[in-house]
Each structure stands twice: as C-alpha cells, then as structure tokens.
Amino acid sequence: MTKFRVGVIGAGSIAQSHLTAYSENADVELIAVADMNLERAQSVADQYGARRAYADPHELLADDEVDAVSICTWNNSHANWAIAAIEAGKHVLVEKPIARTLEEALEIQKAVEKSDRVVQVGFVRRHSPNCQVLKSFIDADELGEIYYAKASCIRRMGNPGGWFADKEIAGGGPLLDIGIHVLDLCWYLMGSPKVVSVSGNTYDRLGNRANITTMPRYQVADYDPDKNSVEDMANAVIRFENGASLLLDCSYSLHATQDSIDVSVYGDKGGAELEPALHIATEMHDSVVNIEPQIASRSFEFGVGFANEIQNFVDSGLGRAETIAPAWHGVEIVRILEAIYESAETGREISLV
Ligand SMILES: NC(=O)c1ccc[n+]([C@@H]2O[C@H](COP(=O)([O-])OP(=O)(O)OC[C@H]3O[C@@H](n4cnc5c(N)ncnc54)[C@H](O)[C@@H]3O)[C@@H](O)[C@H]2O)c1
C-alpha cells in the first residue's frame, strides 16, 4: 500500500503531538524533521525514527521522498513555509493560526488555488470526538438553525512568555493563540457562515502578571518577565449574514476566579454546550430534555484529537477523504481576528461586506 511520506518543519512542543500521531499511523512513513535548531531537529528525528534532520526547511522541501509536511514553527513563518511547501508540490498541514495577518493568509490562499495539493489548517479541536458527535447531531438538524454562539477561553495567569508574548513573531496574544480555537469551534458548528461585521475590544491592563510567584504557570523555555507586547484579553461580538451572532472572549491575564473554557451553540430546535463538556438541550413532548451522549470523554481529547487530525490529513492526501479544515477556513478565521484588532484600535464596528 502507498505510504504517506511526511516531513515536519519546526520541532518544538506541538511538533511532538504531530510526530506521535504520525508515528502511530500505519499509513505514514516519517522521512525528515527540520528546525533552525539542528540539534533539536536531530534529537526529535532520532526519537521518532525519522530518517533525516535538516537545519534549513528549504532542504526538507527539496527532499523528493517527502510527500507532505506539518508546519509547526512560530506564527511568523507559517505563510512563508506553507507557500514554499505548496510550490514544492507537498501536501500541507499548517498549525493555527494559518498566518499572523489577513494579507499573509490571502497569499497562502492564492498558492492553494493554483495547486492541487491538500492544505489543511491545524484546528485540532474540530477532530475531537465530542465535537464530531455534536457535528453529527447538527448535520442531522437536531438543533435547527443556530442563531447564537458563545466562545470563551479564559486564563487568569496564562501568558506563556517567549515568542507567544512577542507581537512581531506571534501576530497577537490570546486572541490568535487560544481565542482562535473556541471561535473556530463555534464557526465550524454554525456551518461556516459569512461574517458581516465585527466589534471588538482588547485590553492590556494587567500585563503578564510576572509579579505573581505563588501560583504555578506554563512558561516557555526562554521566558523573560520583562518582555511582553501582546494584549491581556480580548472580547468581540461577531454578526453573520444569516442573522446569527457570536460572543467571544479570551485572556492570558484577567482577574477571574478560575480558568475556564465555554463553547456553546444555540439553535431554534436545540442547543449544546461543547466545552467544558458536551451536553445537548432540546424539547420533547412539551418537556425540556438534556441529552448526554455516552462517549469516552465529553471534553476535548488532546491525543485522540491529534490522531484524528493527522488521519484526516493523511486520508485527504491519499485521496480517500476531504479535509474538514481546509485552508480557506483558516483564512476566514484570521479575517475575523484581524477585524477584532482593527475594531479595538479604532473604537468602531468593522464591516466585512
Ligand atoms: N493546535 C494546538 O493546540 C497548538 C498548541 C500549541 C501550539 N500550536 C501552534 O504550533 C506552532 C508552534 O508552537 P510551539 O508551542 O510548538 O512552539 P515552540 O517554540 O515550542 O516550537 C517551535 C519550533 O519551531 C522552530 N522554528 C521557529 N521558526 C522557524 C523557522 N522559521 N524555521 C525553522 N524552524 C523554526 C523553533 O526553533 C522551535 O523549535 C504555533 O504556531 C502555535 O500557535 C498549536
């Protein structure tokens, strides 16, 4: 059987999840890993049994044995590597956000349109069983028309520092890093409606809260408490062509009493909370009824999510399926996020029609 021969660009933390899923996938042969830190590329290649390690991703893209790549680098090089990979004839799975700005995202879209390669964006939460089960209910019209959604991802002290806190590299803060996941889940479950307007706010009142030393937090290896140029938190109201609306908020720093995640969609026949756990609400025979699908986990399953995401990419690349997260979805999400920043900066609602 034809193997799907894969290279991974960027060998840091999320690359481990891609590599674990690739190495456990019977359809995949791991060929190479590239990272500007060659030592890291080599050690990760050794760990997962990839044949070659490169310091320069151009070399990996010139490797004829590689059919497809995962791009797991910092956000500032997603567009560059995605376009180079498409032009080199590779299938591409690019981590979220697809790019830092709409301009970069549209450059990727142009390359996608000139190519017959699969270009998938790393919206891993779509692939979690809880989301797929809810999607099957929505596709069967159990919720009716979804007219309202809530997407919230609150960290009270969760600025990771390093490149995540550098606007130039990351493109933005919690909005582009974690808000993007919950926004995307709602938009996906709503059926990818066209956005007509966005009104948003961003705040940077608390900074990275490096002064708090009494609570544990995730920090990247090169954490520097004095470096932070991203927002603490953002919120937005997003309106869609079909009249539906979405409320979003997300934070790295906020005086909240706890971290939380909330993803909910409401239709005229039923509603559902996807996170923190899947519950569906409806009416039956003039009674209000809650439905609790009996699945292994009603919350996001990290490992299974990545395994399913990689399987969808492999199946699409081998012509056995369609990707459920095509590049243009990544572009539309960046269009919304950029409009939130623009609205926050100008103090106006941004029209996208
Ligand atoms: N899907 C998810 O849930 C999820 C979770 C975390 C991170 N991410 C995304 O994954 C990407 C990487 O995040 P991370 O946490 O793994 O970061 P990281 O810093 O741990 O790893 C990034 C790696 O890429 C390498 N790199 C960066 N720019 C490069 C370039 N131009 N050429 C070659 N190598 C380069 C770095 O040396 C580093 O080893 C980001 O875009 C992030 O948004 C997604």
Side-chain angles (χ1 to χ4, degrees):
M1 203 187 69
T2 318
K3 290 272 187 187
F4 196 64
R5 300 172 305 172
V6 170
V8 173
I9 302 178
S13 96
I14 212 61
Q16 302 275 337
S17 304
H18 288 239
L19 284 154
T20 300
Y22 283 130
S23 62
E24 290 171 357
N25 190 309
D27 294 328
V28 170
E29 193 177 342
L30 267 173
I31 304 292
V33 176
D35 196 293
M36 58 191 184
N37 179 333
L38 180 59
E39 208 178 308
R40 187 174 301 154
Q42 188 62 62
S43 111
V44 166
D46 294 344
Q47 184 187 347
Y48 290 95
R51 291 199 214 136
R52 293 183 275 284
Y54 299 111
D56 181 353
H58 287 115
E59 290 179 56
L60 184 148
L61 295 177
D63 188 328
D64 286 340
E65 274 197 294
V66 173
D67 303 318
V69 294
S70 270
I71 298 173
C72 301
T73 55
W74 302 330
N75 302 350
N76 61 340
S77 61
H78 286 187
N80 180 43
W81 295 130
I83 293 165
I86 295 164
E87 288 175 351
K90 316 296 185 195
H91 300 295
V92 176
L93 170 56
V94 54
E95 262 302 343
K96 46 57 62 176
I98 194 167
R100 284 174 304 181
T101 62
L102 182 60
E103 190 182 359
E104 286 181 347
L106 290 170
E107 287 300 314
I108 298 177
Q109 188 58 29
K110 254 197 250 167
V112 170
E113 281 161 16
K114 281 193 261 167
S115 138
D116 64 352
R117 302 289 88 181
V118 172
V119 183
Q120 178 171 326
V121 62
F123 289 139
V124 64
R125 284 173 172 266
R126 293 185 179 195
H127 300 267
S128 185
N130 67 334
C131 182
Q132 286 305 307
V133 167
L134 176 54
K135 184 79 167 72
S136 68
F137 275 65
I138 291 172
D139 289 347
D141 201 34
E142 301 288 355
L143 269 54
E145 189 183 339
I146 296 171
Y147 57 89
Y148 175 47
K150 269 197 301 195
S152 178
C153 187
I154 298 297
R155 287 186 193 163
R156 53 183 178 171
M157 202 191 70
N159 182 327
W163 72 266
F164 287 98
D166 183 333
K167 191 160 193 272
E168 186 52 37
I169 301 176
L175 198 50
L176 274 181
D177 183 30
I178 54 177
I180 188 171
H181 279 300
V182 287
L183 166 64
D184 175 64
L185 281 173
C186 287
W187 185 72
Y188 172 62
L189 292 169
M190 293 168 96
S192 317
K194 187 171 166 31
V195 186
V196 292
S197 71
V198 170
S199 189
N201 301 281
T202 58
Y203 297 93
D204 55 4
R205 299 287 182 90
L206 309 187
N208 61 8
R209 307 193 77 183
N211 57 308
I212 307 285
T213 55
T214 48
M215 265 182 74
R217 71 172 89 190
Y218 171 72
Q219 293 176 344
V220 299
D222 59 344
Y223 182 83
D224 179 342
D226 297 326
K227 289 198 180 143
N228 179 42
S229 55
V230 298
E231 76 277 4
D232 295 351
M233 76 91 60
N235 62 45
V237 183
I238 299 150
R239 289 198 175 82
F240 299 96
E241 195 174 49
N242 59 0
S245 57
L246 192 161
L247 282 186
L248 167 70
D249 67 358
C250 59
S251 67
Y252 275 168
S253 295
L254 188 70
H255 285 304
T257 57
Q258 58 188 349
D259 290 354
S260 62
I261 181 162
D262 176 9
V263 175
S264 306
V265 290
Y266 302 95
D268 51 18
K269 287 168 64 178
E273 290 167 10
L274 177 64
E275 297 290 345
L278 178 59
H279 297 276
I280 296 168
T282 189
E283 266 181 35
M284 290 175 82
H285 317 298
D286 298 326
S287 292
V288 170
V289 173
N290 286 357
I291 300 169
E292 295 189 345
Q294 302 299 296
I295 55 179
S297 169
R298 286 202 292 270
S299 303
F300 173 55
E301 290 184 84
F302 193 88
V304 181
F306 274 98
N308 290 350
E309 174 180 75
I310 295 300
Q311 189 65 59
N312 185 219
F313 180 50
V314 172
D315 286 341
S316 310
L318 293 176
R320 305 193 293 220
E322 292 279 311
T323 172
I324 64 163
W328 76 267
H329 285 190
V331 176
E332 288 311 300
I333 292 294
V334 168
R335 192 189 303 280
I336 299 172
L337 296 176
E338 189 164 288
I340 295 173
Y341 284 122
E342 190 187 341
S343 172
E345 205 170 304
T346 58
R348 288 188 294 107
E349 182 174 78
I350 305 300
S351 167
L352 292 174
V353 283

